[in-house]
Amino acid sequence: MLMKMLDTLWNPRKKRSYYRKSLLIATLEGFPAVVIFQLLGGPFLTGYLLYLGATSTEIGFVLAITTVVNIIQIGMAVAMQKFRNRKRMLLIFGSSHRLLWASVGLIPFLFPQDWWVVMYIILYTVAHLGNAAGGVVWTSLISDAVPGPVRGRYFGIRNTILGGVSSLALFIGGQILDKYPGGQGFTYLFMIVGVCALLNILAYCLYPNPPFEPSKESNPIGMIGKPLKDSAFIKAIIFLAVFLFVQSLTVPLFSYVMLKLMDINYETVSYITVVHTLVMMASYYVWGNLNARYSAQTLLLWSLPIIALACLLWGAIAFIPAIVVLYAVHIVLGVGLGGFNQMVFTFTIGDTPKSERPMYIATYSAITGFAAFLGPIVGGKVYELIAEAPMWMQIYGVSTLVGFVLMILGFVVGRLVLGKQIRS
């Protein structure tokens, strides 16, 4: 199936339909995008912040910014009713995110050291405001560009391909930082990111621009009220927000624990993250195929205990070599997050009314984003408060406790909320 799709995408002699061209462009645009997100995010984001002198609380705050800024999507969903050229809006907001985030690499050259962390937070926040605004536009646009019957399978294949690119970026980034530690290594990473940012902007110019179907509501209040009155949707979103809050108490800080508390080098952390990404890449394809047989809600429900298990596995460090446990944790987490991310996306664009889809997407992002914003902040504060506690508590105690709570949420509460939707 994968080879067949690649042949369809890449063979220039085949006459492509509008939809096939859209699939090709969306896939190609993802190449530079995932390189940017991998080299500026994950363990490299934590490493760069540590290089700039950030504390665990500050790192937790930065990790939370990407979710709280999603509140802007509600306003963006309303604005889309007036400014209906989604391609132009994607180009404006997507480009601002890529350029501003890449510019944090200039901080050590432009500002005194006391300002480094503050300037990172400012630039990072503004950049991700642009990303949040562009995100609702992209999701709305791509849901129209990709036919519904092939949506689950296509995104499974697309994410699989981009997962390979992500893995390569992580591997190269880890090698660079291992060979050139400190500021020199990060300078090389940001040079690569700068080139990818320009390529990403050029790719936006090639995107399709299908006609936009406006909301049936004539005023913003009515638009906002549509998803809020959908009781099944709201119950599911509130549950997912609680789950994400608990999950984000520790999962975004895995890199902090490995780099700071366990003193594992960048090369090893990058290998672990590469394995995590490869597993997620493979799972995207599997989850996408499963979506042809089972509903998004069913598969979403299946993914929750897998994420919980990944957190629980940290406790195995007490009697199994740490490096073995870390690989196991990230393998299981890759499977769980692969299902969760893909099925949430499919749920919000596939099981919602087309004309109201931007507001449904914005409502989901705002509610879950606020919960996921609080999680890393609280989690970072927890690690700061237990700094004098036994090392086992800092390394695996918090994650194991979070895993128990997530398992209860996934197996018990999740079945009560999402299970009712499935049966109905």
XYZ file of all heavy atoms in Angstrom, residues 1-6 9 27 31 150-164 281-289 342:
278
model
N 0.820 -1.207 0.000
C 0.000 0.000 0.000
C 0.859 1.263 0.000
O 0.625 2.212 -0.741
C -0.914 -0.019 1.231
C -1.803 1.203 1.342
S -2.997 1.303 -0.016
C -3.639 2.936 0.238
N 1.897 1.267 0.827
C 2.786 2.426 0.926
C 3.513 2.655 -0.389
O 3.591 3.777 -0.890
C 3.784 2.223 2.066
C 4.804 3.349 2.282
C 4.091 4.650 2.539
C 5.740 2.998 3.413
N 4.039 1.563 -0.980
C 4.761 1.695 -2.238
C 3.839 2.169 -3.360
O 4.229 2.954 -4.221
C 5.405 0.360 -2.604
C 6.511 -0.085 -1.644
S 7.818 1.169 -1.480
C 8.469 1.187 -3.143
N 2.617 1.677 -3.351
C 1.650 2.075 -4.365
C 1.363 3.566 -4.278
O 1.286 4.263 -5.295
C 0.355 1.273 -4.187
C -0.707 1.611 -5.237
C -1.943 0.760 -5.004
C -3.032 1.107 -6.029
N -4.247 0.318 -5.801
N 1.222 4.060 -3.029
C 0.922 5.483 -2.873
C 2.118 6.344 -3.275
O 1.966 7.383 -3.917
C 0.526 5.795 -1.436
C 0.243 7.271 -1.253
S -0.609 7.643 0.264
C -0.795 9.426 0.036
N 3.324 5.899 -2.902
C 4.518 6.649 -3.275
C 4.649 6.738 -4.791
O 5.010 7.773 -5.348
C 5.761 5.988 -2.674
C 5.980 6.216 -1.176
C 7.142 5.377 -0.693
C 6.213 7.676 -0.879
N 2.266 9.256 -6.008
C 2.673 10.624 -5.677
C 3.838 11.108 -6.533
O 3.890 12.262 -6.946
C 3.064 10.705 -4.196
C 1.942 10.555 -3.169
C 2.539 10.593 -1.765
C 0.905 11.635 -3.322
N 2.041 16.271 1.648
C 3.116 15.383 2.091
C 4.470 16.072 1.979
O 5.288 16.041 2.907
C 3.122 14.084 1.262
O 1.846 13.451 1.380
C 4.199 13.127 1.762
N 7.823 17.670 4.976
C 9.247 17.330 5.111
C 10.031 18.390 5.891
O 10.619 18.100 6.929
C 9.872 17.102 3.726
C 9.526 15.773 3.109
C 8.406 15.049 3.505
C 10.316 15.230 2.108
C 8.089 13.830 2.937
C 10.003 14.006 1.527
C 8.886 13.311 1.939
N -10.787 8.267 2.317
C -9.380 7.841 2.400
C -8.617 8.612 3.472
O -7.405 8.475 3.591
C -8.668 8.026 1.033
C -9.353 7.208 -0.034
C -8.596 9.503 0.637
N -9.318 9.435 4.247
C -8.664 10.337 5.183
C -7.812 9.597 6.212
O -6.634 9.903 6.408
C -9.727 11.185 5.883
C -9.264 12.574 6.251
C -10.426 13.401 6.757
N -11.094 14.139 5.721
C -12.373 14.475 5.752
N -13.136 14.087 6.750
N -12.897 15.186 4.770
N -8.410 8.598 6.876
C -7.673 7.886 7.912
C -6.445 7.197 7.373
O -5.348 7.283 7.941
N -6.591 6.507 6.231
C -5.461 5.789 5.650
C -4.400 6.751 5.125
O -3.201 6.522 5.280
C -5.946 4.872 4.536
C -4.843 4.042 3.902
C -5.406 2.897 3.081
N -6.084 1.929 3.943
C -6.632 0.808 3.493
N -6.611 0.532 2.208
N -7.218 -0.021 4.334
N -4.840 7.854 4.484
C -3.866 8.809 3.957
C -3.004 9.399 5.057
O -1.780 9.458 4.940
C -4.559 9.953 3.199
C -3.617 11.114 2.968
C -2.554 11.003 2.079
C -3.730 12.291 3.702
C -1.660 12.034 1.888
C -2.843 13.337 3.527
C -1.818 13.213 2.613
O -0.915 14.232 2.451
N -3.642 9.861 6.144
C -2.858 10.472 7.214
C -1.970 9.435 7.905
O -0.895 9.771 8.406
C -3.769 11.180 8.215
C -4.277 12.493 7.705
C -5.613 12.671 7.390
C -3.411 13.554 7.519
C -6.085 13.869 6.899
C -3.866 14.769 7.032
C -5.212 14.935 6.714
N -2.410 8.190 7.933
C -1.545 7.147 8.454
C -0.286 7.003 7.622
O 0.832 6.925 8.144
N -0.450 6.993 6.284
C 0.704 6.875 5.379
C 1.551 8.138 5.423
O 2.786 8.077 5.471
C 0.219 6.578 3.947
C -0.454 5.209 3.891
C 1.381 6.623 2.961
C -1.083 4.874 2.560
N 0.905 9.309 5.384
C 1.659 10.575 5.440
C 2.493 10.657 6.710
O 3.684 11.001 6.673
C 0.688 11.756 5.377
C 1.366 13.129 5.479
C 0.315 14.236 5.455
N 0.924 15.563 5.447
C 1.187 16.286 6.535
N 0.893 15.784 7.746
N 1.739 17.483 6.443
N 1.882 10.343 7.835
C 2.609 10.404 9.096
C 3.722 9.378 9.152
O 4.757 9.591 9.803
C 1.646 10.203 10.269
C 0.692 11.368 10.441
O 0.995 12.483 10.020
N -0.465 11.125 11.031
N 3.532 8.241 8.482
C 4.593 7.230 8.429
C 5.798 7.757 7.669
O 6.946 7.634 8.112
C 4.068 5.942 7.754
O 2.981 5.425 8.510
C 5.164 4.890 7.679
N 5.539 8.361 6.504
C 6.632 8.926 5.700
C 7.354 10.021 6.472
O 8.588 10.057 6.557
C 6.083 9.473 4.368
C 5.495 8.344 3.524
C 7.183 10.191 3.591
C 4.755 8.826 2.285
N 6.587 10.940 7.059
C 7.194 12.055 7.790
C 7.893 11.581 9.054
O 8.846 12.205 9.522
C 6.126 13.098 8.132
C 5.445 13.769 6.933
C 4.474 14.846 7.403
C 6.475 14.369 5.985
N 7.414 10.449 9.610
C 8.100 9.884 10.770
C 9.518 9.461 10.437
O 10.436 9.581 11.256
N 9.704 8.947 9.208
C 11.056 8.585 8.777
C 11.961 9.798 8.695
O 13.124 9.762 9.098
N 5.960 6.280 13.957
C 5.806 6.278 12.516
C 5.098 5.003 12.044
O 4.142 5.058 11.273
C 7.190 6.373 11.862
C 7.221 6.178 10.357
S 8.921 6.148 9.729
C 9.473 4.567 10.371
N 5.574 3.860 12.535
C 4.947 2.594 12.153
C 3.526 2.496 12.678
O 2.629 1.986 11.997
C 5.790 1.431 12.674
N 3.310 3.009 13.873
C 1.966 2.905 14.466
C 0.951 3.764 13.729
O -0.225 3.424 13.660
C 2.011 3.294 15.951
O 2.084 4.690 16.131
N 1.396 4.900 13.155
C 0.486 5.737 12.384
C -0.151 4.924 11.255
O -1.352 5.031 10.992
C 1.233 6.928 11.772
C 1.481 8.074 12.718
C 2.687 8.770 12.692
C 0.507 8.494 13.620
C 2.924 9.839 13.543
C 0.735 9.561 14.477
C 1.948 10.221 14.434
O 2.179 11.273 15.275
N 0.675 4.146 10.579
C 0.172 3.349 9.464
C -0.828 2.304 9.955
O -1.878 2.084 9.349
C 1.348 2.677 8.749
C 0.952 1.881 7.531
C 0.485 2.515 6.384
C 1.032 0.497 7.536
C 0.115 1.789 5.273
C 0.658 -0.242 6.419
C 0.209 0.416 5.290
O -0.167 -0.319 4.187
N -0.491 1.671 11.083
C -1.375 0.641 11.644
C -2.686 1.261 12.113
O -3.778 0.761 11.806
C -0.674 -0.101 12.798
C -1.639 -1.080 13.459
C 0.562 -0.835 12.290
N -2.587 2.366 12.869
C -3.801 3.030 13.356
C -4.660 3.516 12.181
O -5.896 3.454 12.229
C -3.450 4.208 14.255
C -2.910 3.858 15.609
C -1.621 3.989 16.024
C -3.630 3.338 16.735
N -1.480 3.588 17.328
C -2.696 3.179 17.800
C -4.952 2.997 16.960
C -3.052 2.696 19.046
C -5.314 2.509 18.208
C -4.377 2.358 19.233
N -4.005 4.016 11.126
C -4.747 4.481 9.960
C -5.532 3.367 9.299
O -6.685 3.556 8.878
N -4.921 2.182 9.187
C -5.623 1.035 8.614
C -6.752 0.553 9.528
O -7.829 0.157 9.060
C -4.642 -0.104 8.349
C -3.811 0.144 7.098
O -4.245 0.845 6.190
N -2.612 -0.415 7.043
N -3.501 10.711 16.104
C -4.168 10.518 14.827
C -5.679 10.405 14.986
O -6.443 10.938 14.176
C -3.621 9.269 14.133
C -4.102 9.126 12.708
C -3.129 8.321 11.872
O -1.938 8.569 11.863
N -3.644 7.351 11.161
